[in-house]
Amino acid sequence: MINSDCDKCGRCNNKSEKDVSTCGSLFTIQVYSENTPGLLSQISAVFTRRQVNIETLNVCASSTPGVHKYTITCVCTEEMAKMLTKQMEKRIDVLQATYYTDDQLFILEAALLKISTPVLLENPEISKIARIHGGSFVEVNPVYATLEKTGRTEDVLSLYNKLNDLGAVLQFVRTGRICITKGTEEKLDNYLAKRESERINK
Amino acid sequence: MAENITGAEALMRSLEHEGVKTLFGYPGGSIMPVYDALFDHKQTLNHILVRHEQGAVHAAQGYARVSGEVGCVLVTSGPGATNTITGIADAMIDSTPLVVICGQVGTSLLGTDAFQEVDLVNVTSPITKWSYQIRRPEDVAWAVSRAFFIAKSGRPGPVVLDFAKNAQVAKVDYKTENVDFIRSYTPDPHPTEEAICQAVKLINSAKRPFVLVGQGVELGNAGNELLQFIEKINAPAGCTFLGMSALSSDHPLNKGRLGMHGNLGPNVMTNKCDVLIAVGMRFDDRVTGNLQKYARQAKIIHLDIDPSEFNKNVKVDVAVLGDCKKTLKLITEQVSPANHADWIAGFEQYEKKEFDSVIDNAINPKEGPLRMGEIVRKVSEATKNSAIMVTDVGQNQMFACRYFKFTKPRSVVTSGGCGTMGFGLPAAMGAAFGASDRTVCLFVGDGGFQMTIQELGTIMEHRIPVKIVLMNNNYLGNVRQWQEMFFNHRYSFTPMVNPDYELIAKGYDIPCQTVTKREDIDAAINKMLTTDGPYLLQCAVMEEDNVFPMTPPGANIDEMLLEFNNDKGC
């Protein structure tokens, strides 16, 4: 049983009195699909139709040949996360969609920061902050320096916020999160094995 | 040995391989190679030339709904394709299996804003089960087989194939394909023992069980299983509009229709039952009214083949995933027989109340202008309640659904979720092809009739035996009713200036009669039903008639209004 977030009846999913985008918490949705064209717009349409914003999105080939993996974060209620995964699985070429909370995942993201070299040279605090946060400079020239940082979302954002407060950041980009699940169960492998045996027995 | 043929010819062979007998379509530039190939397959593929592409899709919907087969549509690119959108959306929300094949410009022109190029796959993706662009002739057999498999399996729905012109003319070594497995798609999920057990336990404990019958019962051909189930547990049932003919109207356990303009009993009793068993229905807002006050006292069991329906609108206590033909049978085998005579008798007071205050006057008026309800009921009875009822959308639909009666499955063709005006006439002609041994009666208003009136041309050409009952009130009646009730009687653009429909019928060589007097109705209906081929019966009905009972939008389902200007609910 899911716990309803509706404060009116505690039973229905009616969100009419609530702004869905601001209620709830951060969920990470992992989606596996066949590598067919047009899937990304189908998946993103599931979010837009239900008024949920995608916070981050990463798409790449998975370790299973021919299968694409989408890692999507969004802020919503658990009920909504469940509905989103069901609606995504309804698309014919989606193999599996599962939602997770942060404690169920190993999470990583990468970021690049472009920093003004004159500002960097003027203020020794900048390189100190970079060092403390485990960032590394990958390029320095007289005009700008490029700082690279990988880590959890909050580490990446903390580095950015501190440097930005010092007026050092010219450009900033994050990859959005990538993650693997904790736990011993490989849900996709199990699903594919089950489907393969169903195909053979058909 | 594979034969070297064009992609267009491969499409013809693939359609034949899928057992397609009838397709509805309209030619145009980007689909011409396919129409050229079709010229040599006229003996096997009965192509019906409609007068507008929207008509083709609604006709295919009518065909699919009454036959259980996949409806098939063939149109050209650009405007031909976009004209199908309304019907595709309608088929999606009403779970109707369709394969819509559209021409597309050649692949070298894709993305160049070429003449009659529309990005159809992206346009239709949200309103189809699957939308695919065929770019090479090698993909034709596979794509067609996959399209039919997807359209008709699981919860049915529409599929679009966007067929690039170069793939129509290029040659391929054709081999038949039989797609019956897609690893990312589980159309027929196995019911779990746990869910069945929980459902059985809850049903056995029920003192006041109530069954909601949806179109899933029809789609799953589970009418007999439903009957055995409700008879064994002795539970009353209410039907959604799309599920109405899944259970004979006169069965003692059939307590009528659910929803906004449904019957008083089933709506009130939804909020009095202790176990609600929903079969193949989706708790549409027109059925539930205010969700916060919907069946809150009840434990809810939901049987559905589509897992995304569980907990979507109404939180359920037991979700039974699977084909209801199987799940109903499994549950019926395990439940204990029961007797709920007292609970069932509780419906009578509401039936009487509704009959006295609404129904009697709707079907047996003694004076005043003709009423839609009496016409519907008389047509129904004249066909011994065995005809297929097709409706358009609006008051004609509500009166038809309220007063037509059913004795056979697959007898309801109406636009439920989408509420598409203009659906009726083409859907009725499709239904006549899909069930050529049955009488097809269309109820349509003067508004919706004119939205697809051009299909009279198709009906004329093929002498399609559609019995058209035009209930003319010179208004867009349903909107007018809402204006009267909720917009302070301000009739903003709802009065309708009508043409002379008898002249129109004459122009299309369709026999026609207009009825204005009560004493002429029976003879006119008899004339309509005994005339071979199409017939237009125009009935001049009460202009400002209202459909009651009514659950006002957002109100609780047990607070139905029985009349206007009086707040007495129930």
Side-chain angles (χ1 to χ4, degrees):
Chain A
M1 288 292 295
I2 314 159
N3 296 316
S4 165
D5 282 303
C6 177
D7 48 17
K8 283 190 169 171
C9 72
R11 174 163 206 161
C12 79
N13 297 340
N14 192 353
K15 302 287 195 310
S16 58
E17 297 298 313
K18 284 187 172 182
D19 180 356
V20 182
S21 64
T22 58
C23 96
S25 52
L26 184 73
F27 287 93
T28 302
I29 299 180
Q30 286 192 349
V31 188
Y32 291 98
S33 81
E34 302 289 5
N35 182 16
T36 47
L39 252 290
L40 179 59
S41 63
Q42 291 182 39
I43 286 168
S44 63
V46 169
F47 288 84
T48 44
R49 190 170 163 204
R50 288 162 191 85
Q51 306 170 70
V52 178
N53 278 337
I54 291 175
E55 302 291 328
T56 68
L57 166 68
N58 173 280
V59 189
C60 61
S62 75
S63 54
T64 308
V67 173
H68 260 50
K69 178 173 181 172
Y70 301 68
T71 307
I72 306 166
T73 60
C74 62
V75 176
C76 62
T77 61
E78 182 174 3
E79 205 167 63
M80 176 59 80
K82 192 164 202 167
M83 186 188 287
L84 292 169
T85 53
K86 284 202 261 185
Q87 291 295 333
M88 282 185 266
E89 285 189 343
K90 200 167 165 175
R91 303 311 304 180
I92 299 289
D93 291 313
V94 170
L95 290 153
Q96 199 169 59
T98 316
Y99 68 90
Y100 298 96
T101 49
D102 282 5
D103 59 319
Q104 297 171 300
L105 300 167
F106 286 112
I107 299 163
L108 192 71
E109 44 180 296
L112 291 172
L113 297 96
K114 187 175 178 183
I115 290 167
S116 157
T117 304
V119 177
L120 176 67
L121 294 174
E122 252 169 47
N123 188 348
E125 194 65 15
I126 294 174
S127 53
K128 193 174 153 196
I129 291 168
R131 249 193 339 275
I132 290 168
H133 281 80
S136 51
F137 285 98
V138 291
E139 184 193 10
V140 181
N141 64 38
V143 182
Y144 64 87
T146 305
L147 180 63
E148 172 194 282
K149 161 72 188 158
T150 55
R152 290 184 65 100
T153 310
E154 51 270 30
D155 300 336
V156 171
L157 287 176
S158 161
L159 172 64
Y160 165 74
N161 288 332
K162 285 179 181 162
L163 294 181
N164 196 42
D165 288 347
L166 298 173
V169 181
L170 297 172
Q171 286 183 34
F172 170 62
V173 67
R174 288 162 58 199
T175 55
R177 105 175 2 178
I178 54 169
C179 46
I180 51 177
T181 56
K182 294 177 184 173
T184 52
E185 189 196 5
E186 295 308 324
K187 284 177 65 108
L188 178 71
D189 292 348
N190 294 347
Y191 173 81
L192 292 176
K194 177 170 157 268
R195 292 296 288 155
E196 181 60 13
S197 81
E198 283 168 2
R199 186 184 69 80
I200 290 165
N201 294 331
K202 203 173 165 71
Chain B
M1 178 85 183
E3 201 180 339
N4 194 252
I5 56 175
T6 65
E9 177 64 22
L11 175 65
M12 297 299 111
R13 307 270 181 102
S14 300
L15 293 177
E16 287 168 356
H17 182 65
E18 291 298 331
V20 174
K21 292 179 186 66
T22 307
L23 58 163
F24 302 90
Y26 205 102
S30 294
I31 196 75
M32 285 184 68
V34 168
Y35 269 86
D36 190 60
L38 182 61
F39 202 62
D40 294 327
H41 289 261
K42 287 195 286 191
Q43 298 305 315
T44 48
L45 297 171
N46 182 24
H47 176 273
I48 308 302
L49 175 70
V50 294
R51 299 302 189 260
H52 185 286
E53 289 90 348
Q54 184 185 351
V57 191
H58 294 327
Q61 288 179 273
Y63 180 89
R65 291 268 283 268
V66 302
S67 69
E69 305 289 322
V70 177
C72 199
V73 175
L74 189 61
V75 297
T76 191
S77 66
T82 54
N83 279 341
T84 65
I85 302 292
T86 304
I88 293 171
D90 192 295
M92 185 68 175
I93 200 163
D94 282 352
S95 307
T96 308
L98 294 185
V99 171
V100 179
I101 301 159
C102 305
Q104 179 58 281
V105 300
T107 49
S108 63
L109 289 170
L110 284 170
T112 67
D113 299 328
F115 179 65
Q116 295 192 331
E117 183 200 359
V118 165
D119 182 0
L120 190 70
V121 169
N122 268 316
V123 168
T124 55
S125 168
I127 49 166
T128 51
K129 276 185 87 176
W130 188 51
S131 200
Y132 185 77
Q133 187 169 64
I134 303 173
R135 299 178 189 145
R136 336 176 290 155
E138 290 80 4
D139 291 343
V140 171
W142 169 82
V144 170
S145 181
R146 199 177 199 253
F148 277 82
F149 174 58
I150 289 170
K152 68 189 171 197
S153 58
R155 179 178 179 175
V159 171
V160 162
L161 293 177
D162 191 36
F163 195 5
K165 197 169 182 181
N166 55 301
Q168 298 172 30
V169 293
K171 293 276 187 82
V172 61
D173 289 335
Y174 174 77
K175 274 198 317 217
T176 57
E177 290 264 2
N178 294 296
V179 176
D180 61 358
F181 181 87
I182 298 170
R183 70 173 178 172
S184 56
Y185 171 56
T186 312
D188 188 12
H190 298 296
T192 65
E193 264 179 47
E194 191 194 350
I196 300 286
C197 265
Q198 285 178 355
V200 168
K201 213 168 145 190
L202 210 47
I203 293 165
N204 282 343
S205 74
K207 300 277 179 284
R208 304 183 306 280
F210 186 43
V211 179
L212 309 182
V213 180
Q215 193 196 194
V217 176
E218 293 266 42
L219 295 170
N221 295 314
N224 284 334
E225 287 74 9
L226 175 82
L227 203 58
Q228 284 167 20
F229 171 65
I230 61 171
E231 286 180 350
K232 185 167 181 185
I233 66 166
N234 191 227
C239 300
T240 68
F241 277 6
L242 296 190
M244 279 190 305
S245 63
L247 184 61
S248 179
S249 304
D250 284 332
H251 190 284
L253 291 173
N254 188 343
K255 295 300 168 193
R257 299 141 181 91
L258 301 163
M260 180 177 269
H261 287 299
N263 295 110
L264 190 56
N267 281 326
V268 172
M269 297 302 249
T270 299
N271 277 4
K272 290 186 189 294
C273 67
D274 64 350
V275 176
L276 191 67
I277 306 148
V279 189
M281 56 83 76
R282 59 187 179 86
F283 294 106
D284 170 61
D285 58 275
R286 285 297 191 267
V287 162
T288 64
N290 179 11
L291 276 175
Q292 275 91 33
K293 293 285 167 62
Y294 182 78
R296 288 197 59 200
Q297 79 296 340
K299 295 278 187 191
I300 298 177
I301 302 170
H302 192 181
L303 282 65
D304 209 289
I305 200 165
D306 177 357
S308 73
E309 287 301 337
F310 298 136
N311 300 309
K312 187 184 76 176
N313 296 335
V314 170
K315 194 149 289 297
V316 299
D317 296 281
V318 180
V320 184
L321 179 64
D323 180 346
C324 63
K325 194 174 178 73
K326 292 180 193 166
T327 53
L328 277 173
K329 186 163 181 282
L330 287 168
I331 291 172
T332 308
E333 281 166 5
Q334 295 179 36
V335 286
S336 312
N339 185 328
H340 299 293
D342 290 348
W343 159 239
I344 293 166
F347 281 78
E348 281 168 22
Q349 56 173 312
Y350 300 108
E351 285 163 5
K352 184 173 184 319
K353 189 172 179 178
E354 184 182 350
F355 185 83
D356 292 346
S357 54
V358 178
I359 298 175
D360 192 25
N361 197 36
I363 60 175
N364 304 311
K366 304 287 180 291
E367 52 187 18
L370 298 181
R371 297 199 61 192
M372 294 192 222
E374 63 181 315
I375 290 158
V376 169
R377 180 55 64 87
K378 280 179 187 299
V379 173
S380 180
E381 284 171 350
T383 66
K384 300 189 173 58
N385 305 322
S386 68
I388 289 169
M389 175 203 77
V390 186
T391 80
D392 205 73
V393 164
Q395 286 187 326
N396 63 86
Q397 176 184 34
M398 295 302 122
F399 278 113
C401 288
R402 281 185 57 79
Y403 297 115
F404 209 85
K405 293 170 87 175
F406 305 96
T407 53
K408 292 183 175 176
R410 291 193 177 276
S411 300
V412 178
V413 182
T414 190
S415 171
C418 210
T420 305
M421 280 178 74
F423 172 88
L425 186 64
M429 85 203 186
F433 281 103
S436 52
D437 54 336
R438 298 184 62 187
T439 302
V440 176
C441 297
L442 165 67
F443 297 95
V444 61
D446 44 307
F449 190 45
Q450 291 183 81
M451 280 199 176
T452 46
I453 197 166
Q454 76 287 342
E455 297 309 332
L456 290 174
T458 314
I459 290 169
M460 167 189 73
E461 180 182 344
H462 295 276
R463 308 308 301 165
I464 305 171
V466 176
K467 309 303 177 189
I468 306 164
V469 183
L470 169 61
M471 302 196 285
N472 186 349
N473 58 5
N474 292 318
Y475 272 109
L476 300 175
N478 214 37
V479 179
R480 188 213 54 75
Q481 177 175 345
W482 282 47
Q483 287 171 338
E484 180 184 347
M485 294 177 69
F486 311 121
F487 291 87
N488 203 23
H489 217 285
R490 286 152 56 89
Y491 290 172
S492 181
F493 299 96
T494 42
M496 174 73 58
V497 175
N498 276 302
D500 182 334
Y501 289 109
E502 289 194 13
L503 267 180
I504 288 176
K506 191 160 183 261
Y508 282 106
D509 192 23
I510 292 170
C512 175
Q513 185 179 354
T514 299
V515 182
T516 55
K517 292 191 189 119
R518 188 153 285 119
E519 58 267 30
D520 297 335
I521 301 178
D522 287 325
I525 290 172
N526 186 45
K527 178 88 192 302
M528 172 178 80
L529 293 174
T530 52
T531 302
D532 282 341
Y535 197 92
L536 175 64
L537 175 61
Q538 175 176 220
C539 303
V541 296
M542 184 196 287
E543 292 206 333
E544 298 185 41
D545 200 355
N546 287 332
V547 188
F548 282 106
M550 177 183 195
T551 307
N556 307 335
I557 49 154
D558 55 357
E559 296 174 346
M560 293 192 94
L561 303 177
L562 293 169
E563 57 187 317
F564 187 47
N565 287 336
N566 186 339
D567 283 339
K568 82 175 172 192
C570 10

